[in-house]
């Protein structure tokens, strides 16, 4: 029996060290690919060709990267302030209502495969979080930093949780296809991607109910936090830590 060659796993070491030292992620991944190619005695030209082929097959990533400078430019010209002031002008808008609507829309769109329709950099940071903060400021006035951080955390959680449980319903999602391939390779027949997607629906509904319940309690939590800050500022930091 031949010895197990662990040299090709050296690329994983490069990734771990690069991320631990907080180097540029793109450079870390590129270096890991080069190290792995060298470890398996891959010709340099063939390695560069593989890089180019994989980049062309995933060129939608490049279009996503082009969106980020546009969002940064909009933020520089007051996108967050505009969103916050607009929501503050709507008297019936509350933080819980805004986040609840976003959660439902995000989970439903993810179930349809529209994963890039929203997200942390393009929606949560420039729009959703400022809108939620504006609604809270409209009710409670100037918010302490601890409350602002809590609201922003809930906004980010809405996007993560809704997409996580919604995307499994979409049968062409990579994780669903991976589960289907794994079951087939292990001799488990009769389970199609459609079955996996259908069984993901009850879980998504449960996540929706649980998170909407958490958001329904958010308004009371914000009110309590603001009252605590006004009476005992130091106590608020202890409660939210």
């Amino acid at each position: 029996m031949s010895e197990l060659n662990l040299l090709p796993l050296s690329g994983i070491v490069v990734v771990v060290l690069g991320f631990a030292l907080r180097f540029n992620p793109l450079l870390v991944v590129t270096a890991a690919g080069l190290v792995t190619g060298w470890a398996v005695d891959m010709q340099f030209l063939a390695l560069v060709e593989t890089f180019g082929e994989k980049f062309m097959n995933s060129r939608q990533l490049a279009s996503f990267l082009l969106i980020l400078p546009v969002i940064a430019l909009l933020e520089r010209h007051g996108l967050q302030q505009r969103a916050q002031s607009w929501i503050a002008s709507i008297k019936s808008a509350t933080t819980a209502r805004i986040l609840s609507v976003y959660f439902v829309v995000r989970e439903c769109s993810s179930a349809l495969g529209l994963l890039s329709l929203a997200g942390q950099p393009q929606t949560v940071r420039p729009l959703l979080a400022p809108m939620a903060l504006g609604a809270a400021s409209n009710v409670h006035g100037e918010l302490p930093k601890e409350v602002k951080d809590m609201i922003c955390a809930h906004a980010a959680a809405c996007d993560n949780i809704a997409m996580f449980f919604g995307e499994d319903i979409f049968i062409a999602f990579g994780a669903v296809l991976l589960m289907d391939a794994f079951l087939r390779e292990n001799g488990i027949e009769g389970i199609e991607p459609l079955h996996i997607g259908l069984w993901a629906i009850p879980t998504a509904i449960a996540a929706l109910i649980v998170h909407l319940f958490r958001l329904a309690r958010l308004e009371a939590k914000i009110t309590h936090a603001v009252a605590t800050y006004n009476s005992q500022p130091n106590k608020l930091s202890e409660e939210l830590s």
Side-chain angles (χ1 to χ4, degrees), residues 125-229:
R125 185 179 186 276
L127 289 175
L128 182 62
M131 290 168 65
L133 290 171
S137 300
N138 195 32
V139 177
H140 304 284
E142 182 63 26
L143 301 172
K145 181 180 182 302
E146 292 83 357
V147 176
K148 290 181 179 179
D149 292 342
M150 179 181 67
I151 294 174
C152 291
H154 274 277
C158 279
D159 186 85
N160 287 341
I161 297 172
M163 186 181 72
F164 182 84
F165 288 99
E167 62 189 3
D168 286 340
I169 301 175
F170 185 57
I171 60 175
F173 178 57
V176 175
L177 299 178
L178 178 62
M179 286 185 282
D180 177 64
F182 176 82
L183 293 174
R184 291 179 183 275
E185 289 178 0
N186 288 273
I188 303 176
E189 300 291 342
I191 299 179
E192 301 294 334
L194 179 61
H195 300 150
I196 299 175
L198 290 176
W199 280 104
I201 294 177
T203 307
I205 294 176
L208 176 65
I209 295 173
V210 170
H211 203 76
L212 290 182
F213 176 74
R214 292 185 66 228
L215 292 176
R217 299 177 57 196
L218 180 60
E219 289 298 326
K221 190 174 182 180
I222 294 174
T223 302
H224 174 72
V226 172
T228 302
Y229 179 80

Side-chain angles (χ1 to χ4, degrees), residues 9 27 42 44 50 53 55 76 91-92 95 111 138 152 160 172 204 213 220 238:
L9 300 179
L27 294 178
M42 195 173 184
F44 180 75
T50 303
E53 179 185 351
F55 177 80
R76 185 175 182 181
K91 301 301 181 182
S92 60
T95 301
N138 195 32
C152 291
N160 287 341
F213 176 74
E238 297 176 359

Side-chain angles (χ1 to χ4, degrees), residues 78-119:
L79 177 62
Q80 290 191 7
Q81 291 76 10
R82 295 280 185 179
Q84 190 168 352
S85 61
W86 175 65
I87 286 296
S89 65
I90 303 176
K91 301 301 181 182
S92 60
T94 65
T95 301
R97 289 174 183 173
I98 293 171
L99 296 181
S100 297
V101 170
Y102 180 82
F103 188 94
V104 173
V105 173
R106 182 60 162 151
E107 189 170 55
C108 293
S109 61
S110 298
L112 297 175
L114 303 175
L115 302 180
S116 300
L117 185 63

